[in-house]
Amino acid sequence: MKIKFLFLLFLIIINNIYITFGFNNNYDQLNSFDQSSSESSSGTNSEGCYGVPNPHTVYTQKERLVASVSNGVLYQTGPNTNQLYILHLYGTPFEMGEAHGQLLKAQIQDLLPSFMEFAQVAVKQFIKSKFAERLPAFLIYIIETFGVNAALDYVSSATKPYTPQSFFDELKGISYGAEVDYTTLLRIHSFAELLKATCSIVGAWGDATLDGRLLQVRALDWGIENPLVNHPVLIVYHPETGNGGPFSILTWVSYVGALTGYSQRTGVCEKVWLTYNGTYTHDGIPFTLMLKEILQYDNNNIEALNRIYNTPKTCAIYVGVGSNESATVDIIEYSSSTVRVFDDETPFPGFDPSPPDHPIIKNIVYVDRHSQPSNDPCLANELISTYGSISAATLIDTVGKEETGDLHAAVYDFSENVIYVSIASTNIPFPFPNKTMPSPAYKNQFMKLDMNTLFNLPNPTNNK
């Protein structure tokens, strides 16, 4: 333990040396695993889109009970090609983690070694690519000199003072319940702080939608050539009284940070801010845990913004926050030194006037998967062409036409308290044989989930 502490101290000193002597000047943040292009395209249809509408009807069959333990119950849903676990958790953070580990033990034990092996290769390839300039120089030095795990340990150490104890308690519960290494769980959760995602965000309401309802899109483009595709799960948290409200995150077994989440009170999503050139730090709360706390504790976008303003932050991202109370969505430029809020009347993201391919649209906020300002006309054209009749169905088709949301995609319908989710195909084991790739989420069947039912499910193990 003492040796590890001294090693981490050494890494922090290296970081400070790089900052002091100017080796960590302005930079662009990391792109995603798949390094989606930000170049302009002519498209293949009148809207300038390469993709096609989603060809499937929505999957509406009832979830199937799989198993239950104390403080947890596991269901499964979806067609045979893309199965999704739905995991309900109750009790203290440790009890929730323990139930998570017990119910998904085999899946967690399968994912951890394969993902860590994948991460070692992916990060080393990344720092040799043209995108390496987006990684701070001192982290490249750590990776090249001490390995990927050392960089992940550094991130864990730097963010620890700002991280809620409940996070560590939940991971300890998973470690105990699934009989897996706690340090490995910490490293996996540090990975998102290194590699952000080239995703898409949409919020639409009022005059823009079919009946004025609030809709929000989260499309996660994080690449599908990785073992995460085989282990998706929607976690539904039922906190103890006085510890926030019920909420959900669309994630993978053993990963409890929020990249995609919905509570009906709020909905969250994010994408990498590629053109950010400000200060860099890991001395703050990991962004996935910031988003999780918004879901658990905040009742509207004002409370969420206050949390973002008043909490030390790390990396540079765009955050989408939907509020059922105000029936609007804000997009926020979020970094350790910047918080700027954009609504449907503000040139986004920080450009005045708005770029031609990102016009201001009343009652809509949006950002596509490309580097901003984007030269791709697809998303804006789709939103304009469906304006006044935007619905969950049209947004599912827009995701398909934009070809965004390869790993997973979600549409939040606040009025109905329903979410529609799609995941990459799960029926091809990793590593994929004979170069057979999973189908991306935006091409797959979306599943309709009634969150009224899911959020109000009592702990069935209380009756045992």
Side-chain angles (χ1 to χ4, degrees):
M1 189 63 124
K2 183 176 179 182
I3 293 174
K4 182 177 180 181
F5 171 79
L6 292 173
F7 177 65
L8 290 173
L9 180 61
F10 172 66
L11 296 183
I12 292 170
I13 292 171
I14 290 174
N15 178 22
N16 291 334
I17 290 172
Y18 270 89
I19 293 173
T20 301
F21 288 96
F23 296 115
N24 194 26
N25 291 331
N26 292 351
Y27 67 97
D28 283 341
Q29 288 285 334
L30 289 176
N31 210 332
S32 69
F33 294 164
D34 59 345
Q35 309 304 342
S36 299
S37 169
S38 62
E39 295 177 358
S40 135
S41 62
S42 58
T44 59
N45 62 23
S46 59
E47 287 80 26
C49 301
Y50 277 106
V52 297
N54 188 281
H56 306 286
T57 58
V58 173
Y59 184 92
T60 58
Q61 294 184 28
K62 185 176 176 60
E63 299 88 7
R64 305 174 293 279
L65 178 65
V66 176
S68 64
V69 296
S70 180
N71 299 304
V73 59
L74 183 66
Y75 291 84
Q76 194 171 43
T77 191
N80 292 334
T81 54
N82 48 321
Q83 297 271 296
L84 175 69
Y85 285 114
I86 300 177
L87 175 65
H88 291 266
L89 299 176
Y90 306 82
T92 66
F94 180 87
E95 290 169 339
M96 289 179 172
E98 182 181 15
H100 183 165
Q102 290 171 335
L103 287 167
L104 291 167
K105 179 177 180 178
Q107 292 82 359
I108 293 170
Q109 290 184 349
D110 178 64
L111 175 62
L112 294 194
S114 59
F115 184 80
M116 290 308 297
E117 182 179 351
F118 162 80
Q120 300 289 328
V121 174
V123 173
K124 288 178 180 178
Q125 289 179 343
F126 180 87
I127 64 174
K128 296 178 181 178
S129 74
K130 65 179 181 179
F131 299 99
E133 65 185 26
R134 294 175 180 146
L135 191 62
F138 82 92
L139 276 179
I140 292 179
Y141 175 81
I142 290 173
I143 292 166
E144 291 180 332
T145 307
F146 304 106
V148 174
N149 284 344
L152 297 174
D153 290 342
Y154 164 76
V155 172
S156 267
S157 176
T159 57
K160 183 176 180 179
Y162 309 92
T163 300
Q165 183 60 40
S166 58
F167 167 73
F168 300 112
D169 292 343
E170 188 173 358
L171 288 199
K172 288 174 183 175
I174 294 173
S175 174
Y176 180 77
E179 299 180 7
V180 294
D181 179 57
Y182 173 73
T183 299
T184 301
L185 291 172
L186 282 175
R187 287 171 176 167
I188 283 181
H189 283 80
S190 295
F191 197 75
E193 284 287 310
L194 290 180
L195 296 182
K196 319 306 182 299
T198 58
C199 314
S200 300
I201 300 171
V202 176
W205 63 91
D207 292 344
T209 59
L210 183 63
D211 53 5
R213 70 181 56 199
L214 172 63
L215 299 166
Q216 183 174 348
V217 174
R218 195 288 191 260
L220 177 62
D221 293 297
W222 217 4
I224 55 176
E225 297 183 53
N226 70 77
L228 293 176
V229 298
N230 294 137
H231 299 289
V233 59
L234 180 83
I235 303 179
V236 184
Y237 286 91
H238 303 266
E240 294 180 307
T241 302
N243 195 29
F247 65 99
S248 64
I249 60 172
L250 183 59
T251 182
W252 308 275
V253 299
S254 79
Y255 192 85
V256 301
L259 288 164
T260 303
Y262 173 83
S263 72
Q264 193 186 32
R265 304 177 304 280
T266 55
V268 299
C269 48
E270 62 76 43
K271 82 164 251 129
V272 63
W273 181 0
L274 284 174
T275 53
Y276 174 73
N277 62 359
T279 57
Y280 181 90
T281 181
H282 276 117
D283 296 332
I285 184 172
F287 76 89
T288 59
L289 301 185
M290 173 83 81
L291 299 185
K292 188 175 183 180
E293 292 208 326
I294 290 172
L295 293 169
Q296 183 169 355
Y297 297 110
D298 295 340
N299 295 306
N300 50 56
N301 53 358
I302 300 300
E303 292 180 7
L305 287 170
N306 283 336
R307 182 180 301 278
I308 291 171
Y309 274 118
N310 295 315
T311 305
K313 295 168 286 296
T314 56
C315 56
I317 55 175
Y318 300 120
V319 173
V321 178
S323 167
N324 192 35
E325 185 176 290
S326 66
T328 60
V329 176
D330 292 318
I331 294 181
I332 302 141
E333 285 185 335
Y334 167 120
S335 75
S336 62
S337 59
T338 305
V339 177
R340 293 198 294 177
V341 181
F342 296 89
D343 56 24
D344 61 329
E345 298 179 351
T346 309
F348 178 84
F351 300 102
D352 188 10
S354 285
D357 291 316
H358 196 119
I360 294 174
I361 308 173
K362 180 184 177 184
N363 295 155
I364 293 178
V365 292
Y366 63 103
V367 56
D368 68 20
R369 65 188 176 91
H370 305 294
S371 179
Q372 304 302 309
S374 172
N375 298 320
D376 191 293
C378 175
L379 183 56
N381 287 344
E382 278 296 313
L383 295 171
I384 291 169
S385 70
T386 55
Y387 191 89
S389 60
I390 293 174
S391 64
T394 66
L395 290 172
I396 288 171
D397 282 344
T398 295
V399 165
K401 291 181 179 181
E402 170 74 2
E403 294 189 331
T404 185
D406 55 12
L407 194 51
H408 70 225
V411 179
Y412 315 148
D413 184 335
F414 286 82
S415 298
E416 294 294 325
N417 202 15
V418 163
I419 64 174
Y420 300 82
V421 303
S422 182
I423 53 177
S425 298
T426 58
N427 61 333
I428 306 173
F430 184 85
F432 310 123
N434 303 319
K435 298 184 179 180
T436 302
M437 292 297 297
S439 174
Y442 59 78
K443 287 186 177 181
N444 291 343
Q445 189 171 20
F446 277 72
M447 296 163 256
K448 181 179 180 180
L449 302 177
D450 179 1
M451 303 309 290
N452 284 307
T453 300
L454 297 186
F455 286 148
N456 290 294
L457 182 74
N459 186 351
T461 60
N462 286 342
N463 301 321
K464 290 187 176 182

